[in-house]
Amino acid sequence: MTANFKINRKIIFLALKFYFILRMKYTIYIVYFFYFKHMKAKIIISVIRALGVIFILGIFLCLSINAYVLWVSNASIYDKYNIPEWYQVWLIFWASVRPNKEPSEILKDRLDTAVFAYDKWRIEQIIVSGDNRTEHYNEPIAMKNYLMKQWIKKSDIYVDYAWFDTYDSIYRARDVFQVEKLLLFSQKFHLQRAVYIGNGLWIETKGISTELQVDSYKEREFFGRIKAFLDVEIFRSKPKYLWEPIPIISNEDIEKGKQDLFNKEK
């Protein structure tokens, strides 16, 4: 009897122990389901909300940067009939060249506007900046040849072969060609960014808008203005290609140099 009681007591004890273990296990599951699962859902919701706020702030920041760039540059953009003052050096930006080495429609529009201004305002020096990625593709030479066909003197054209982007071209105009005052030629959608970059690099910069306007570039320019802002205000990065200075000499300085040589010979 005593032995049976002891066995029964052990069985009862094991059964109770097993019962409490199971109960505890299910209790843990219940707590996990109703608490941790709920907390996990709250964390996920909080993360989604935070990402949403960051996304909205990002959009607002991008719109603000674009508005700022446009606000800074628009007052310095003119048409070819209303050039504000005399500028010694002009910069014509690149665009694609056709397989027959003739300028594309966009590039021809920029070059024709420069020719008009050259004839009317007698600009002294023109920088043509373009892509020369291979020996078979050379934008600046195509630009130079087109200008020379329009009776612009070869000696008035300076070639910048090391195109990479708008920021690099203007940076080189300052550090390579030693320009302190610059007038840019391009379509308005591009000038709004280019004029901002020029003034941001401490060059007195204005732009002449050409007649052709291309709406398909507006989306690209939205992100281009953001990049321009970061380049000018944050990174202050140097161009991909930079070389020793090649100062642009004015016609007045050339004539003065000739006169000095003439006086020395006398």
Side-chain angles (χ1 to χ4, degrees):
M1 182 72 180
T2 305
N4 290 333
F5 177 76
K6 286 182 179 180
I7 293 170
N8 290 335
R9 191 171 65 177
K10 284 184 179 181
I11 293 171
I12 293 170
F13 177 76
L14 291 172
L16 288 172
K17 185 177 179 182
F18 182 69
Y19 168 76
F20 282 115
I21 289 172
L22 286 176
R23 187 174 179 182
M24 185 177 293
K25 183 178 179 181
Y26 284 113
T27 302
I28 292 171
Y29 281 146
I30 292 169
V31 170
Y32 174 78
F33 183 80
F34 286 103
Y35 181 75
F36 290 103
K37 283 278 188 180
H38 179 65
M39 286 298 295
K40 188 176 181 181
K42 286 182 68 176
I43 291 170
I44 292 171
I45 292 170
S46 298
V47 169
I48 292 171
R49 285 177 178 172
L51 291 174
V53 171
I54 292 170
F55 179 72
I56 292 170
L57 289 176
I59 292 175
F60 177 76
L61 181 62
C62 291
L63 292 172
S64 299
I65 289 173
N66 270 267
Y68 173 72
V69 171
L70 294 175
W71 176 72
V72 168
S73 62
N74 276 339
S76 299
I77 296 175
Y78 303 83
D79 60 49
K80 64 182 181 181
Y81 302 103
N82 297 291
I83 296 175
E85 55 185 291
W86 183 83
Y87 277 68
Q88 178 196 339
V89 183
W90 294 42
L91 172 61
I92 307 174
F93 288 105
W94 67 95
S96 61
V97 172
R98 295 191 175 104
N100 63 358
K101 299 184 180 180
E102 290 296 317
S104 62
E105 185 182 8
I106 291 178
L107 181 55
K108 186 175 181 297
D109 181 48
R110 298 174 183 179
L111 295 167
D112 286 342
T113 304
V115 170
F116 174 87
Y118 183 86
D119 291 336
K120 184 170 182 175
W121 303 98
R122 301 310 303 170
I123 304 309
E124 291 189 0
Q125 280 83 29
I126 299 173
I127 301 173
V128 290
S129 178
D131 182 6
N132 180 28
R133 71 187 77 169
T134 69
E135 60 178 316
H136 303 294
Y137 187 82
N138 196 320
E139 289 174 354
I141 288 299
M143 295 164 72
K144 181 179 180 180
N145 290 339
Y146 183 87
L147 292 175
M148 290 171 61
K149 288 178 184 178
Q150 309 303 316
W151 305 105
I152 292 181
K153 293 187 295 183
K154 181 179 180 180
S155 59
D156 287 345
I157 304 172
Y158 287 73
V159 179
D160 176 15
Y161 295 99
W163 166 89
F164 187 70
D165 60 14
T166 302
Y167 178 84
D168 282 19
S169 292
I170 297 174
Y171 198 113
R172 279 194 304 277
R174 185 193 71 180
D175 282 28
V176 175
F177 296 106
Q178 306 286 289
V179 173
E180 297 178 354
K181 190 175 179 181
L182 188 63
L183 200 60
L184 308 177
F185 275 87
S186 192
Q187 284 74 29
K188 187 173 181 179
F189 66 83
H190 181 213
L191 282 178
Q192 291 169 328
R193 169 166 54 100
V195 169
Y196 167 77
I197 292 172
N199 287 305
L201 293 176
W202 303 101
I203 306 172
E204 185 182 331
T205 308
K206 297 188 185 301
I208 300 300
S209 176
T210 62
E211 295 176 350
L212 180 66
Q213 300 302 322
V214 186
D215 292 336
S216 60
Y217 283 87
K218 288 183 178 179
E219 291 182 7
R220 187 192 74 173
E221 285 301 310
F222 178 84
F223 296 102
R225 287 190 283 269
I226 295 171
K227 179 182 181 300
F229 179 86
L230 295 174
D231 283 336
V232 171
E233 308 293 346
I234 308 296
F235 301 125
R236 286 283 175 175
S237 50
K238 289 188 176 182
K240 186 174 182 180
Y241 303 107
L242 200 61
W243 53 78
E244 292 299 317
I246 310 171
I248 290 179
I249 303 173
S250 67
N251 292 341
E252 182 181 347
D253 290 337
I254 291 172
E255 292 302 320
K256 184 180 178 182
K258 288 180 180 177
Q259 188 64 41
D260 290 343
L261 287 173
F262 177 75
N263 292 334
K264 285 180 180 179
E265 289 176 357
K266 291 175 65 176

